[in-house]
Amino acid sequence: MRTAQTLRAFTGLALLSRGFRPFFLGAGVFALAAIAIWPAVFTGTLALPTAFSAIDWHTHEMLFGYGSAVIAGFLLTAIPNWTGRLPVAGATLGSLALLWLLGRCAVLVSGLIGWAVAATVDVAFLAVFTAVVAREIIAARNTRNLKVAAVVLLLALANLGFHLEARLTGTAEHAARAALALIVFLILLFGGRVVPSFTGNWLAKRGEARRPAPADRWDTAALVVSGVGLSGWVAVPDARITGAALLAGGAANLWRLGRWRGWRTFPDPLVLVLHAAFLLVALGFLAAGASCFRAILPVDLPVAVGIHVWAIGGIGGMTLAMMTRATLGHVGHALVASTGTRAIYLLVAVALAARVSMALLPSWGAQLMLAAATAWCMAFAGFLAIYGPMLTRRS
């Protein structure tokens, strides 16, 4: 049977019919729950039974908990389009989702079960997921996309490194930067495909002749420059040569974004938000690069500014944009951003503004952290209210 016929014949739980369903739902629930308790954890009001420090738990779970769930949902949905193979579904998909959930539980109670047990359970998800991605790509002889499996493997190794570094040194600064850099690079890689593609489709429907510039060797060069900057930031984050590379990466990605005609997409928030999130990734490069020169700048720019522009604006914005768009498209709804969808995009922007302000105005730290957490939680509560039923019901 054709793929569409096979999907319609699937008689199991709707939640396990396609990869985006359990992982986008899990990501939404986890993003809401983890940040809802974060202010209390940060201030010491709530003590979690984790072996990680409070900061490391927060960093790890937003990158390897939330981030890996969205990546899994996206790739499990995209790979069948690349390979022509049937989607991973049913018991296999359910087992993957359960393994991800067990990882979240293991990290949470790692202080009780021991760091080694928690690390084994937690790292198992990305290790198994790497094998699934590689199997699907190799089986279809779609070897040009094996680089995707390689990046997921690097993310799994960064997760293992996070546990080991935290155990050996008490913190996991290098592994945390490595994970953030890998996810940012994934956005640069896939964003270079989906943002101009969706923009071109939208412009074509409008009857506009000019389309986004196709990917070429200059895009490849921009990715190389960005990769060099991110690698330097992982290894020597304060070095001025790293700052110069990051600034070059930011400029290169602003140039890429300028070729995609985003200013023509204002009438369609589903497309516009992709450009906005990519813009914030580029601005994260500039902020992180400028922080390397803060000793000679007239205004001190904290490192936390660049990190949170990347994390909340770039990663949070892009993942939410992809989850909303993919869910609408794959459950058969019109690709139109409702009032609620537009509101959740704006709430992520509010969360970013509040968190960046917190870094710049430390005397208002408690109030601004609460504001950022509240806006983020409202955004994902809205996502679950609007998209949760679509993810769990048969379309």
Side-chain angles (χ1 to χ4, degrees), residues 107-188:
V107 170
L108 180 64
V109 299
S110 54
L112 303 177
I113 65 175
W115 77 273
V117 174
T120 300
V121 175
D122 181 40
V123 174
F125 168 68
L126 281 171
V128 172
F129 183 60
T130 301
V132 171
V133 171
R135 181 198 68 185
E136 293 298 303
I137 292 173
I138 292 171
R141 298 179 181 178
N142 186 245
T143 53
R144 72 185 184 90
N145 279 313
L146 272 176
K147 58 181 176 289
V148 176
V151 175
V152 177
L153 176 60
L154 288 174
L155 197 59
L157 293 174
N159 193 9
L160 177 60
F162 196 108
H163 286 274
L164 291 173
E165 186 181 358
R167 174 64 178 174
L168 295 174
T169 69
T171 187
E173 293 181 1
H174 286 84
R177 289 197 300 273
L180 180 58
L182 282 168
I183 296 175
V184 166
F185 192 79
L186 275 174
I187 291 176
L188 297 179

Side-chain angles (χ1 to χ4, degrees), residues 8-191:
R8 284 196 293 270
F10 182 80
T11 58
L13 287 173
L15 187 64
L16 300 181
S17 63
R18 292 296 298 268
F20 71 92
R21 291 179 180 270
F23 282 109
F24 287 178
L25 182 65
V29 172
F30 189 74
L32 172 58
I35 298 302
I37 66 173
W38 171 236
V41 174
F42 180 76
T43 58
T45 306
L46 175 64
L48 299 178
T50 179
F52 288 143
S53 68
I55 292 291
D56 279 350
W57 174 81
H58 170 68
T59 302
H60 182 276
E61 290 303 275
M62 295 314 295
L63 293 173
F64 295 108
Y66 171 76
S68 66
V70 179
I71 290 169
F74 173 78
L75 289 180
L76 289 172
T77 306
I79 286 173
N81 295 330
W82 303 343
T83 63
R85 288 171 57 81
L86 290 175
V88 173
T92 303
L93 177 58
S95 298
L96 276 174
L98 179 61
L99 193 55
W100 171 81
L101 181 60
L102 288 174
R104 311 288 55 78
C105 296
V107 170
L108 180 64
V109 299
S110 54
L112 303 177
I113 65 175
W115 77 273
V117 174
T120 300
V121 175
D122 181 40
V123 174
F125 168 68
L126 281 171
V128 172
F129 183 60
T130 301
V132 171
V133 171
R135 181 198 68 185
E136 293 298 303
I137 292 173
I138 292 171
R141 298 179 181 178
N142 186 245
T143 53
R144 72 185 184 90
N145 279 313
L146 272 176
K147 58 181 176 289
V148 176
V151 175
V152 177
L153 176 60
L154 288 174
L155 197 59
L157 293 174
N159 193 9
L160 177 60
F162 196 108
H163 286 274
L164 291 173
E165 186 181 358
R167 174 64 178 174
L168 295 174
T169 69
T171 187
E173 293 181 1
H174 286 84
R177 289 197 300 273
L180 180 58
L182 282 168
I183 296 175
V184 166
F185 192 79
L186 275 174
I187 291 176
L188 297 179
L189 183 64
F190 287 113

Side-chain angles (χ1 to χ4, degrees), residues 341-369:
T341 298
R342 294 195 295 270
I344 65 178
Y345 295 159
L346 290 174
L347 283 166
V348 170
V350 171
L352 173 61
R355 186 58 186 84
V356 169
S357 297
M358 175 185 165
L360 298 173
L361 302 169
S363 60
W364 288 81
Q367 298 91 329
L368 289 167
M369 172 180 282

Side-chain angles (χ1 to χ4, degrees), residues 207-379:
E208 296 200 18
R210 292 191 63 187
R211 307 290 170 78
D216 56 24
R217 65 182 185 277
W218 297 110
D219 286 270
T220 302
L223 287 172
V224 170
V225 171
S226 301
V228 169
L230 289 169
S231 299
W233 183 70
V234 172
V236 282
D238 296 322
R240 291 187 181 178
I241 190 170
T242 296
L246 288 170
L247 292 174
N253 285 295
L254 286 176
W255 172 81
R256 292 178 77 199
L257 185 62
R259 305 173 75 205
W260 298 338
R261 299 183 61 75
W263 62 90
R264 302 294 300 167
T265 67
F266 274 84
D268 188 351
L270 285 178
V271 180
L272 179 62
V273 69
L274 296 170
H275 290 266
F278 199 95
L279 171 63
L280 288 167
V281 171
L283 294 180
F285 273 87
L286 297 181
S291 293
C292 298
F293 297 95
R294 60 186 179 276
I296 61 174
L297 291 176
V299 178
D300 182 38
L301 186 65
V303 174
V305 172
I307 290 174
H308 286 94
V309 171
W310 270 333
I312 298 176
I315 297 174
M318 185 63 79
T319 53
L320 196 54
M322 292 305 300
M323 287 194 294
T324 52
R325 185 184 185 92
T327 301
L328 288 172
H330 285 284
V331 303
H333 285 229
L335 289 176
V336 177
S338 65
T339 300
T341 298
R342 294 195 295 270
I344 65 178
Y345 295 159
L346 290 174
L347 283 166
V348 170
V350 171
L352 173 61
R355 186 58 186 84
V356 169
S357 297
M358 175 185 165
L360 298 173
L361 302 169
S363 60
W364 288 81
Q367 298 91 329
L368 289 167
M369 172 180 282
L370 184 59
T374 299
W376 176 273
C377 289
M378 289 176 64

